[in-house]
Amino acid sequence: MSESLVAKPAQTLSEGASVRILSAPDARRDRLALAEVLVDCVTGGASVSFMWPFTIDDANAWWGGVIETVADDRTVLFGAYLDDALVGTVQLGLDVPPNQRHRGDVRKLLVHRDARGRGIGAALMTALETEAVRRGLSLLTLDTASGAAERLYERLGWTRAGVIPRYALWPGGRFCDTTIFWKALPSTA
């Protein structure tokens, strides 16, 4: 069994929250909760690849594909729990070209609107970075269209590479600019 499929100890946060790596079976068990977080974020206007209307069935189907990549060790999936309820998630994408095995992509940092302002996004990113270092990665990249997320990434030491105008769409159909960030990680060698 690959290491990414083995549940790691939970990282405890303030207010009774915890973050842990989800194996494929964990993700299957929590698939509806993952779908609910995604629907909440899209409903709230997050530009995370989806357009309105976006249903729980749409989200559930999308998570099925993610869970397959978790099972294939191409994605490390993190879940944040508050009072045993999944309230946030982020992914470390490992499916990079052969000449980029030293880096990973941060994908879909999502925190349910009811759980925001409690440090959950920062805790998810810290857990992701810790796992990336453990895996020997030296560079992470991400993109965002959210001012709040940009401020979080900057607080966590990420570097803004630039802004691409009209890169994506908001769920309602208007164009949005996207900011690219990167972060060098400490070497484990």
Side-chain angles (χ1 to χ4, degrees):
M1 178 178 286
S2 76
E3 287 187 55
S4 70
L5 297 180
V6 176
K8 304 290 191 287
Q11 174 186 0
T12 302
L13 307 173
S14 61
E15 300 186 41
S18 63
V19 172
R20 69 174 188 259
I21 291 175
L22 302 180
S23 66
D26 293 335
R28 285 184 196 101
R29 179 198 66 225
D30 287 347
R31 187 170 173 173
L32 179 57
L34 289 162
E36 289 170 347
V37 168
L38 178 56
V39 167
D40 176 74
C41 291
V42 174
T43 299
S47 176
V48 290
S49 305
F50 305 102
M51 305 299 291
W52 293 331
F54 186 71
T55 68
I56 196 74
D57 290 337
D58 297 330
N60 194 39
W62 182 81
W63 277 109
V66 173
I67 292 167
E68 287 178 25
T69 69
V70 170
D72 293 342
D73 201 29
R74 293 180 286 138
T75 301
V76 181
L77 179 61
F78 297 81
Y81 295 82
L82 188 59
D83 298 326
D84 297 321
L86 188 134
V87 295
T89 184
V90 70
Q91 301 166 44
L92 173 59
L94 303 172
D95 54 344
V96 295
N99 69 338
Q100 298 174 34
R101 299 278 187 230
H102 61 285
R103 72 169 191 88
D105 293 317
V106 177
R107 300 178 183 154
K108 304 284 188 279
L109 175 61
L110 305 169
V111 177
H112 195 285
R113 288 176 291 169
D114 291 343
R116 291 183 186 164
R118 298 178 185 188
I120 291 168
L124 282 162
M125 290 300 295
T126 298
L128 181 144
E129 291 176 22
T130 299
E131 179 64 12
V133 168
R134 189 191 73 74
R135 288 172 171 265
L137 302 181
S138 60
L139 179 68
L140 294 174
T141 59
L142 63 82
D143 65 81
T144 186
S146 164
E150 287 185 35
R151 290 185 293 279
L152 169 66
Y153 300 135
E154 288 169 346
R155 278 195 315 270
L156 295 175
W158 286 72
T159 301
R160 178 191 307 255
V163 176
I164 304 172
R166 300 169 53 101
Y167 182 80
L169 298 174
W170 295 110
R174 293 183 345 267
F175 281 108
C176 65
D177 299 346
T178 297
T179 305
I180 309 298
F181 282 89
W182 63 273
K183 186 170 187 178
L185 300 174
S187 174
T188 58

